[in-house]
């Protein structure tokens, strides 16, 4: 990738937040740099930084303006960026997420298959073969944007988004993949549903899947849905954590 | 056990405090009071810490009833009529509400949100350190949605203390200050057009974002960016060129370019802007904005200094009245600079 001297750059977002931009595209390498800085700040915090929000290509920092200021913060960030080698190593956690594919659970599976000239089972095979990384969460609570989708099944977003897609939707849009938690509008293609709640306000932890986690999917039968859905609603993770 | 029951209320009444910290990275916005200064004022009047959970009330009327005990309450924020047990009480003061008595709150005039502070606060279970409600997500305590008739909230219920009044900090203005960016360069000359234009808050506004009406603002480069993080006060320009100012229930990430960001000290002023009132944006530098932000936060911390015990108020009413007529306000706070003006100095008029 050519070096763009514009980046990284640090800009104010109002008077109580700053963004560190590593680029302006969706790119797994850019995201790794975002996550690396985020991990660095977790390990050696900068005084006054209250909260960080990693996104595809930038890290947003919220800070307490009575404990620091934009200029001080920018200096300290530049120092960190110069010192750090960019690596986040193996993901801390890898989740295996059960999915019921197709039928009523994934109404776009046949259309995606047809578009690529392959069988629906092959779409499922390619979707489940990949190792994904959670690049960020956003849009709604627990909505995970994943990098790592097999390019051979990347599919441009729908021209007409749907006003309502089900809770737990597993979808793809362009070159991105997602784990959706709450029902919401979506312009992506619905491949299946997971009973896993990445967000559950009454559970500890409230959020299960975090930026930087690795994710893989595996198929389950529709007949397993009710049992797993009830378990997840009751607060069980249902997703499996892989041993390191 | 003292409790508050909702007898009737409009659709955007909910429990709010200063909002959550630490959950934006998971897609959950911080929520919290739309006007932090007003919430703090209501809390300080009932001797609560200023970020104690309170009831945020929208512009429509509301009626609440207290049962199982007495509680001291106070309302602050948008000007409106308030009655306790059907007797009107003056604004900017606390009052004791007896067992079985009602609190009747009228239409907001010249503002949008008011805050009902309840001495001792509310019983509930915090999520990420906060009771704040984010409607539609099931997050918030003790009731994880907007309030409706027959909802009941358990109160900690403190009657201790006395009726207090406060000299409030007025925070209405027709100028909303911003820091440009982070995507200001996408707009070229249209940035100046944005800053020179007159804007109004449209009725299609809510706690997620305020949609503004005014001249369309065009992008030089197209209306999508790779989604990045948003903050309270981010001003997005979507494809139709009509700005959206993001508010505490906002999406935490967004794909529209952000032309500017409202400064912390002016977020509450904008939140209280009635639909149809014209205002402008003014760009200021980061140093000035941070100075104002610190002064704003310090002013909230110093609100207890502005309390007046009701017994001493009556004796000084005439003196205060004369001083205000002469244009010298005692203990005035200039909300353009958040600095106190000393007695004898003419008050700066907006």
């Amino acid at each position: 990738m050519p070096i763009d001297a514009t980046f990284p750059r640090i800009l104010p977002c109002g008077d109580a937040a700053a963004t560190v931009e590593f680029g302006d595209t969706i790119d797994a390498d850019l995201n790794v740099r975002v996550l690396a800085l985020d991990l660095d700040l977790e390990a050696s915090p900068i005084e006054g930084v209250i909260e960080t929000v990693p996104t595809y290509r930038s890290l947003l920092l919220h800070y307490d303006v009575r404990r620091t200021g934009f200029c001080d913060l920018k200096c300290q960030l530049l120092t960190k960026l110069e010192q750090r080698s960019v690596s986040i190593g193996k993901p801390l956690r890898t989740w295996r997420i059960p999915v019921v594919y197709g039928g009523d659970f994934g109404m776009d599976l046949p259309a995606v298959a047809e578009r690529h000239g392959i069988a629906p089972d092959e779409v499922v095979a390619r979707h489940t073969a990949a190792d994904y990384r959670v690049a960020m969460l956003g849009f709604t609570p627990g909505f995970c944007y994943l990098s790592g989708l097999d390019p051979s099944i990347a599919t441009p977003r729908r021209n007409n988004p749907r006003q309502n897609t089900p809770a737990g939707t597993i979808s793809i849009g362009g070159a991105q993949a997602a784990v959706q938690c709450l029902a919401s509008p979506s312009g992506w293609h619905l491949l299946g549903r997971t009973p896993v709640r990445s967000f559950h306000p009454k559970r500890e932890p409230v959020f299960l899947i975090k930026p930087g986690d690795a994710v893989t999917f595996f198929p389950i039968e529709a007949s397993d849905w009710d049992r797993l859905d009830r378990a997840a609603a009751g607060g069980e993770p249902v997703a499996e954590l892989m041993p390191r | 056990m003292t409790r508050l029951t909702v007898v009737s209320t409009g659709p955007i009444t909910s429990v709010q405090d200063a909002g959550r910290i630490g959950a934006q990275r998971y897609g959950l916005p911080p929520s919290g009071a739309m006007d932090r200064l007003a919430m703090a004022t209501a809390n300080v009047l009932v001797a609560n810490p200023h970020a104690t959970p309170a009831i945020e009330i929208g512009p429509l009327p509301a009626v609440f009833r207290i049962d199982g005990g007495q509680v001291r309450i106070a309302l602050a924020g948008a000007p409106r009529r308030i009655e306790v047990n059907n007797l009107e009480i003056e604004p900017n003061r606390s009052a004791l509400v007896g067992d079985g008595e009602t609190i009747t709150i009228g239409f907001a005039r010249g503002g949008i949100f008011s805050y009902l502070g309840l001495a001792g606060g509310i019983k509930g279970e915090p999520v990420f350190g906060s009771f704040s409600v984010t409607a539609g997500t099931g997050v918030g305590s003790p009731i994880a949605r907007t309030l409706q008739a027959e909802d009941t909230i358990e109160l900690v219920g403190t009657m201790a203390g006395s009726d207090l009044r406060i000299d409030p900090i007025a925070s209405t203005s027709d100028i909303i200050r911003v820091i440009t960016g982070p995507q200001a360069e996408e707009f070229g000359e249209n940035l100046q057009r944005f800053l020179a234009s007159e804007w109004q808050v449209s009725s299609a506004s809510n706690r997620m974002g305020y949609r503004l009406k005014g001249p369309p603002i065009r992008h030089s480069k197209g209306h999508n960016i790779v989604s990045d993080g948003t903050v309270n006060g981010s001003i997005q320009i979507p494809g139709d060129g009509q700005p959206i100012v993001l508010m505490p229930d906002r999406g935490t990430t967004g794909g529209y370019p952000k032309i500017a960001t409202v400064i912390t000290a002016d977020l509450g002023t904008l939140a209280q802007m009635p639909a149809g009132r014209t205002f402008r944006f003014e760009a200021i530098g980061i140093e000035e904005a941070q100075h104002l932000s610190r002064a704003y936060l310090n002013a909230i911390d110093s609100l207890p200094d502005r309390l007046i015990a009701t017994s001493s108020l009556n004796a000084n009413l005439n003196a205060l009245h004369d001083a205000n007529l002469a244009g010298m306000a005692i203990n005035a706070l200039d909300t353009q600079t958040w600095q106190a003006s000393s007695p004898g100095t003419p008050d700066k008029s907006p």
Side-chain angles (χ1 to χ4, degrees), chain A residues 9 14-15 24 38 50-52 55 57-58 60 62-63 65-66 69-71 137-142 199 207 210, chain B residues 21-27 137-139 185 226 228-230 253 261 263-264 286-287 289-290 293-294 297-298 301:
Chain A
R9 62 183 189 176
D15 57 17
D24 56 10
D38 193 42
I50 303 169
E51 178 167 7
T52 60
T55 69
R57 44 80 173 208
S58 62
L60 179 64
H62 296 267
Y63 58 90
V65 72
R66 290 191 286 188
F70 176 71
C71 291
L137 283 84
F139 179 55
T140 56
F199 158 63
F207 295 99
K210 305 187 177 196
Chain B
I21 294 178
Q24 293 185 75
R25 63 194 292 109
Y26 304 121
T137 64
V139 177
E185 77 238 2
V226 173
D228 65 355
T230 64
T253 59
T261 313
I263 69 169
T264 301
I286 181 77
E287 294 294 338
Q290 302 209 294
S293 181
R294 289 177 198 119
L297 295 171
N298 290 339
D301 281 349

Side-chain angles (χ1 to χ4, degrees), chain A residues 160-182:
Chain A
N160 299 316
R162 293 188 176 94
Q163 276 307 105
N164 205 19
T165 58
T169 287
I170 300 298
S171 59
I172 59 178
Q176 302 162 67
V179 179
Q180 177 177 320
C181 189
L182 301 181

Side-chain angles (χ1 to χ4, degrees), chain B residues 298-345:
Chain B
N298 290 339
I300 287 179
D301 281 349
S302 308
L303 276 172
D305 298 340
R306 304 179 68 84
L307 288 170
I308 311 160
T310 51
S311 56
S312 66
L313 177 68
N314 291 334
N316 287 328
L317 260 180
N318 287 336
L320 280 173
H321 189 61
D322 290 343
N324 282 331
L325 278 180
M328 295 185 311
I330 295 172
N331 248 2
L333 216 61
D334 181 331
T335 57
Q336 289 302 300
T337 65
W338 294 97
Q339 302 300 315
S341 44
S342 42
T345 314

Side-chain angles (χ1 to χ4, degrees), chain A:
Chain A
M1 183 168 49
I3 296 175
D4 183 340
T6 314
F7 297 106
R9 62 183 189 176
I10 302 172
L11 303 171
C13 300
D15 57 17
T19 181
V20 181
E21 295 184 343
F22 292 92
D24 56 10
T25 57
I26 295 178
D27 179 288
D29 290 338
L30 285 181
N31 185 247
V32 165
R33 301 180 67 190
V34 172
L35 295 173
L37 179 60
D38 193 42
L39 271 178
D40 187 337
L41 285 166
E42 194 184 347
S44 62
I46 293 177
E47 168 60 23
V49 174
I50 303 169
E51 178 167 7
T52 60
V53 183
T55 69
Y56 276 119
R57 44 80 173 208
S58 62
L59 185 68
L60 179 64
L61 296 88
H62 296 267
Y63 58 90
D64 180 344
V65 72
R66 290 191 286 188
R67 285 158 54 196
T68 187
F70 176 71
C71 291
D72 272 344
L73 183 58
K74 181 172 173 176
C75 282
Q76 295 188 68
L77 284 166
L78 286 171
T79 304
K80 270 193 189 291
L81 288 170
E82 279 156 26
Q83 286 169 350
R84 241 198 106 66
S85 67
V86 179
S87 168
I88 53 176
K90 287 170 61 163
L92 291 175
R93 296 153 1 137
T94 302
W95 295 101
R96 286 190 77 233
I97 296 182
V99 179
V100 180
Y101 284 95
D104 290 339
F105 293 82
M107 65 177 82
D108 294 323
L109 182 62
V112 168
E114 182 170 340
R115 188 191 175 106
H116 294 288
I118 56 181
D121 281 352
E122 183 58 26
V123 173
V124 173
R126 295 183 194 184
H127 189 257
T128 54
D131 292 323
Y132 302 87
R133 188 143 222 167
V134 180
M136 71 175 190
L137 283 84
F139 179 55
T140 56
F143 188 103
C144 304
Y145 291 88
L146 309 177
S147 56
L149 179 68
D150 185 329
S152 71
I153 54 172
T155 311
R157 275 169 236 191
R158 292 165 56 86
N159 283 330
N160 299 316
R162 293 188 176 94
Q163 276 307 105
N164 205 19
T165 58
T169 287
I170 300 298
S171 59
I172 59 178
Q176 302 162 67
V179 179
Q180 177 177 320
C181 189
L182 301 181
S184 68
S186 173
W188 293 25
H189 303 277
L190 318 184
L191 300 185
R193 285 181 71 192
T194 182
V196 175
R197 276 113 168 110
S198 56
F199 158 63
H200 189 317
K202 299 279 180 279
R203 178 186 63 200
E204 172 52 43
V206 172
F207 295 99
L208 202 59
I209 306 173
K210 305 187 177 196
D213 283 353
V215 163
T216 62
F217 300 104
F218 66 98
I220 58 171
E221 300 298 322
S223 53
D224 289 328
W225 176 265
D226 284 343
R227 173 179 57 88
L228 293 175
D229 187 45
R230 270 198 303 278
E236 291 178 39
V238 174
E240 301 164 15
L241 255 183
M242 305 266 280
R244 294 210 65 185

